[in-house]
Amino acid sequence: MIGAAHTILGRSASLRDRPYFIVLAGSNLGKTFKIDGDTILGRSSDAQIRLQDEGISRRHARVFVEEKDLWIEDLKSANGTLINGVRIDRQKLQDGDKIRVGATTILKFSYSDDLENSFQQKMYDAALHDGLTRAFNKRHFLDRLGEEAAYAKRHGTPLSLMMLDVDHFKAINDRFGHPAGDQVLAELAQIIAGQLRREDLFARYGGEEFAVLCLGVTLGPVSILADRVRGVVEGTAFALGESRAPVTISIGVAAYTPGADDGATRLVADADAALYEAKRAGRNRVVVRSAKA
């Protein structure tokens, strides 16, 4: 593992400086990643730096320490690793290097202190997350949905979507007030997030509606996940005014249509249609809609 940068990496820097990657372009724009020892970059769920852009391999590149310096090597990725515009097999990293992986992701290698990194991370979080629920916001969700649909189309991998909506949410606001409604949404988001995998993308789609994009999973397992989430929510007593009471959700589930030109748009439309069908059927239930080619 890497300790303080001045003791492990041979360079003249502040005692507080540590090595980071900062995302200059790509779906993780603005995010910072601290480099702690041997680090894998890629799409895989077990990569220490997980990047989702098109053209990034599951295990794309590796950062490692050699004789007190940080090096990066390409792991025979499909599209290669470039440093400052030049394709490399392995190369020592220098402060300010720009590393390109995949079609759009550019990382800047930099040394900075923890205070500077914390500020950068807060800026990133504010841009991509909903302030109330801490789920990703709709803009980020739609950006990622387009990228993941393109990846699924290119590689033939499964992609599924859950759309969730709080039942009778207007009645909650009318009876207990909007602060209580906000508390329900915040608590609900925590419950849902606790049921998901690391690679699932959870977002607040708007109002009391949420979306969960499940990467690499077919309709069957996602349907099981959806019903588990519904059951956990139903079994939770939410804070409503001076008391606690159950809240229920309805869920629509759909799968990406392989080869469809409008795959991302159709996926949302199908999941939304399933959600409204669940509402019409009495709420507090999951409806699965198979996309038509």
Side-chain angles (χ1 to χ4, degrees):
M1 299 294 286
I2 300 176
H6 70 289
T7 60
I8 299 299
L9 306 177
R11 61 185 300 278
S12 56
S14 164
L15 299 183
R16 298 173 300 170
D17 284 350
R18 296 179 183 275
Y20 291 91
F21 282 131
I22 302 170
V23 183
L24 298 182
S27 63
N28 296 96
L29 178 65
K31 188 170 185 178
T32 62
F33 296 97
K34 184 186 293 186
I35 303 171
D36 287 320
D38 201 318
T39 302
I40 300 296
L41 292 75
R43 290 182 60 93
S44 173
S45 60
D46 60 1
Q48 287 80 18
I49 297 180
R50 191 159 185 263
L51 303 165
Q52 293 298 328
D53 286 341
E54 176 71 8
I56 294 177
S57 299
R58 288 180 59 79
R59 292 171 60 87
H60 194 103
R62 178 175 76 103
V63 176
F64 60 96
V65 180
E66 185 175 285
E67 297 182 353
K68 298 185 179 181
D69 290 311
L70 277 176
W71 289 68
I72 188 169
E73 66 174 346
D74 183 76
L75 297 178
K76 298 181 179 179
S77 65
N79 296 300
T81 301
L82 288 77
I83 296 184
N84 302 323
V86 178
R87 187 162 182 162
I88 59 99
D89 292 321
R90 69 194 302 265
Q91 184 167 313
K92 183 168 69 174
L93 288 167
Q94 305 287 344
D95 196 354
D97 277 346
K98 294 180 176 62
I99 300 97
R100 180 164 185 161
V101 291
T104 60
T105 294
I106 299 175
L107 309 171
K108 179 182 178 182
F109 176 69
S110 179
Y111 292 95
S112 60
D113 61 36
D114 290 340
L115 182 61
E116 181 181 353
N117 178 64
S118 177
F119 174 77
Q120 183 76 25
Q121 194 62 48
K122 287 178 180 177
M123 295 285 287
Y124 168 79
D125 288 341
L128 299 187
H129 290 83
D130 173 61
L132 174 64
T133 64
R134 305 310 303 154
F136 284 112
N137 58 33
K138 183 177 181 179
R139 177 180 177 181
H140 179 65
F141 167 77
L142 293 176
D143 287 344
R144 281 288 304 279
L145 175 63
E147 294 164 3
E148 295 301 337
Y151 185 88
K153 181 178 181 180
R154 178 177 176 182
H155 298 281
T157 55
L159 182 67
S160 300
L161 176 64
M162 296 164 45
M163 298 294 286
L164 312 90
D165 189 271
V166 181
D167 296 330
H168 303 294
F169 188 69
K170 184 178 183 300
I172 293 173
N173 278 336
D174 290 346
R175 180 178 177 185
F176 299 101
H178 288 277
D182 286 348
Q183 178 60 34
V184 166
L185 294 178
E187 194 172 346
L188 174 64
Q190 286 187 328
I191 293 170
I192 295 171
Q195 300 298 313
L196 305 179
R197 305 171 303 160
R198 178 186 174 192
E199 54 265 45
D200 295 329
L201 178 68
F202 175 47
R204 186 180 182 187
Y205 197 74
E208 68 273 22
E209 191 172 2
F210 295 87
V212 180
L213 188 62
C214 300
L215 314 182
V217 186
T218 56
L219 204 57
V222 175
S223 302
I224 295 171
L225 169 63
D227 198 55
R228 184 172 75 240
V229 169
R230 182 206 58 76
V232 171
V233 171
E234 182 184 22
T236 301
F238 287 77
L240 291 171
E242 299 296 323
S243 61
R244 300 188 73 88
V247 170
T248 63
I249 59 175
S250 298
I251 305 177
V253 181
Y256 172 72
T257 303
D261 291 334
D262 61 344
T265 302
R266 185 183 300 189
L267 181 58
V268 173
D270 286 340
D272 248 341
L275 171 60
Y276 285 110
E277 187 177 336
K279 292 284 192 181
R280 289 193 299 269
R283 297 180 171 83
N284 189 26
R285 66 192 63 214
V286 175
V287 170
V288 180
R289 185 181 179 94
S290 297
K292 301 297 190 297

